[in-house]
Amino acid sequence: MSGIYLHIPFCKQACHYCDFHFSTSLKKKSELIEAMRREIVLRKKELNGPLETIYFGGGTPSLLDEDELNTILSQIRDQFETIDDPEITLEANPDDITEDKLIAWRRAGVNRLSIGIQSFFEEDLKWMNRAHNAEEAFHCIELAKPYFDNISVDLIYGVPGMGMDRWKENLQRFLGLDVPHISCYALTVEQGTALDYFIRKGKVRPPEDELADAHYQLMLDELQEEGYENYEFSNFGKPGYFSRNNLGYWMGKPYLGIGPSAHSYDGSSRSWNVANNVNYIQSLQKGELPLERELLTKVDRFNEMVMTRLRTQFGLNLEEVAHEFGVQIKDHLMEMAGPLLQEGMMETKGDILQVTRKGKFLTDGISSRLFLLNLGD
């Protein structure tokens, strides 16, 4: 099974924290969609097996009109085999959601909505420079529920000035909406963003790891008490509502990225498209793929397996490590994990090595301590 990701690089306005590739000008939208259709054709042989997931990300895919969405999906269905019930996700901003759009998305085949709420509080939304307000954050979900059973909400934690009480209230407001999935991300400062500039100029306080950790621990308690499983570090779902797209990434399934800045992975290499709309369009108009490709070494593949699997509740299968990389590397892994096991940051359950609750917030750092530098390690 495999997946396809489509990057729609347009937004109404720039959120202060965002470093994804996007444009606030829609002038090239029709040309870019045609270029994406051409890329789909040129790369149709890169995936083996039927598509399990189709994911519209960005940017703001909810800016697409019905014809634009349908023309992309039609091209995918023409070029790729899909399973009987592929998960088709569309990221949407609250201010774009109307009843007419919801009907159009369902009609096109979209069966999962990922809604970028980020916070249910007006002061947070203004601080982030989001295009919607707190009232729209609530209203859009109630509007969507008659049309979509599979809905996910995004929230951001670790925001300076967001105390424990307000973060808990954010979670309680989410829980009151009875939505089966939530993705929560710690606020990070990316170089070149407005947030980075404001912090360097002393206009806003930088995020604090201690606050983000406290928010994360509270989130684990609140969501798990209500039946949400933390199946991946940032993702919580009710049983039957885990994102197949998200799991595909973390479990190492191949995926194809279409659109400017989109990344692809086939198990042995990674590629990424140019992060420039004009260059992307011009290359596809000439029948050229605007991408760079990197062949992954054995060390790269091992480190990626460690990094991705440890973020999930399923952990790292030691027998799979031995099969893919050899018993010697598996033994080296366990030797490196020894101090982390003694500290209670990790544990083993049969052949599974995983991060404990104590180490969960430090998962990425734990993974890096287990990385190989070369095959002589």
Side-chain angles (χ1 to χ4, degrees):
M1 299 294 184
S2 54
I4 190 165
Y5 170 83
L6 301 120
H7 189 80
I8 309 299
F10 301 108
C11 290
K12 290 179 181 176
Q13 63 188 49
C15 299
H16 287 160
Y17 55 84
C18 182
D19 74 333
F20 293 158
H21 170 65
F22 68 92
S23 170
T24 54
S25 170
L26 305 184
K27 291 179 181 178
K28 297 283 185 181
K29 186 157 68 123
S30 60
E31 294 174 72
L32 188 131
I33 289 168
E34 181 55 34
M36 292 176 70
R37 283 170 50 83
R38 293 185 183 205
E39 186 185 2
I40 289 168
V41 174
L42 290 173
R43 304 185 72 183
K44 64 182 180 180
K45 294 182 180 179
E46 291 190 31
L47 291 179
N48 296 317
L51 289 178
E52 184 179 7
T53 62
I54 300 170
Y55 193 99
F56 287 86
T60 311
S62 51
L63 290 176
L64 295 176
D65 64 33
E66 184 174 6
D67 287 343
E68 292 166 339
L69 180 62
N70 276 319
T71 195
I72 295 172
L73 283 170
S74 175
Q75 189 77 313
I76 291 172
R77 291 171 178 135
D78 285 346
Q79 302 299 323
F80 295 97
E81 179 187 356
T82 65
I83 64 172
D84 289 339
D85 62 336
E87 177 188 270
I88 304 178
T89 302
L90 183 131
E91 291 183 354
N93 277 353
D95 47 301
D96 292 327
I97 296 177
T98 65
E99 191 163 17
D100 286 345
K101 280 201 169 186
L102 291 163
I103 293 169
W105 295 337
R106 283 312 305 254
R107 192 159 50 215
V110 175
N111 52 28
R112 183 174 183 272
L113 278 188
S114 177
I115 304 178
I117 300 293
Q118 313 312 353
S119 177
F120 290 103
F121 286 89
E122 196 72 31
E123 54 263 51
D124 298 330
L125 297 172
K126 289 180 179 178
W127 189 89
M128 298 175 193
N129 200 40
R130 295 291 291 167
H132 68 280
N133 58 42
E135 182 180 352
E136 288 171 320
F138 287 102
H139 178 67
C140 72
I141 294 175
E142 295 298 349
L143 199 61
K145 285 170 66 175
Y147 299 96
F148 287 89
D149 170 58
N150 197 350
I151 297 174
S152 179
V153 161
D154 285 1
L155 291 181
I156 293 178
Y157 63 93
V159 177
M162 181 189 286
M164 294 297 289
D165 288 343
R166 190 152 93 234
W167 175 236
K168 183 172 183 177
E169 181 62 24
N170 250 322
L171 294 170
Q172 290 300 318
R173 291 182 181 187
F174 161 77
L175 291 169
L177 292 167
D178 193 26
V179 172
H181 189 279
I182 183 170
S183 298
C184 295
Y185 302 101
L187 179 71
T188 55
V189 183
E190 304 292 350
Q191 187 174 1
T193 61
L195 178 59
D196 177 42
Y197 173 81
F198 294 151
I199 290 172
R200 285 189 286 107
K201 293 297 182 179
K203 295 183 177 182
V204 300
R205 287 185 293 158
E208 299 175 356
D209 288 343
E210 294 80 3
L211 177 65
D213 186 6
H215 281 182
Y216 188 78
Q217 301 302 329
L218 175 65
M219 175 173 62
L220 288 176
D221 291 336
E222 294 289 316
L223 294 177
Q224 290 178 342
E225 184 177 340
E226 296 298 324
Y228 292 83
E229 294 186 38
N230 184 208
Y231 68 93
E232 188 276 327
F233 180 84
S234 300
N235 290 277
F236 299 75
K238 292 285 184 71
Y241 289 95
F242 295 178
S243 167
R244 284 186 268 166
N245 175 80
N246 293 352
L247 274 178
Y249 291 147
W250 302 117
M251 301 307 289
K253 292 185 178 182
Y255 58 89
L256 183 63
I258 301 293
S261 80
H263 284 58
S264 304
Y265 170 73
D266 65 8
S268 61
S269 68
R270 290 196 178 277
S271 63
W272 54 94
N273 286 341
V274 62
N276 181 290
N277 291 357
V278 173
N279 291 348
Y280 174 83
I281 291 167
Q282 290 176 346
S283 292
L284 269 305
Q285 286 174 341
K286 293 185 289 186
E288 300 172 357
L289 290 174
L291 57 78
E292 295 183 52
R293 194 179 301 274
E294 172 191 24
L295 186 64
L296 300 176
T297 66
K298 190 174 182 179
V299 170
D300 292 333
R301 291 188 289 107
F302 172 83
N303 291 345
E304 288 206 6
M305 179 182 282
V306 170
M307 178 182 68
T308 55
R309 304 298 173 83
L310 288 182
R311 286 180 64 100
T312 73
Q313 68 177 6
F314 312 106
L316 184 60
N317 188 307
L318 297 173
E319 289 304 309
E320 185 179 359
V321 172
H323 176 75
E324 290 287 329
F325 304 102
V327 174
Q328 185 176 358
I329 288 182
K330 186 201 82 168
D331 292 342
H332 175 76
L333 168 67
M334 291 308 296
E335 181 181 345
M336 295 297 291
L340 293 162
L341 291 164
Q342 291 179 353
E343 295 167 22
M345 308 293 274
M346 303 191 78
E347 63 185 355
T348 55
K349 294 182 179 179
D351 289 328
I352 303 300
L353 176 67
Q354 59 192 136
V355 177
T356 63
R357 167 72 184 260
K358 179 181 178 181
K360 190 177 278 284
F361 186 72
L362 303 174
T363 296
D364 288 346
I366 288 171
S367 296
S368 68
R369 290 175 61 176
L370 304 177
F371 285 171
L372 290 173
L373 298 180
N374 56 66
L375 290 179
D377 288 346

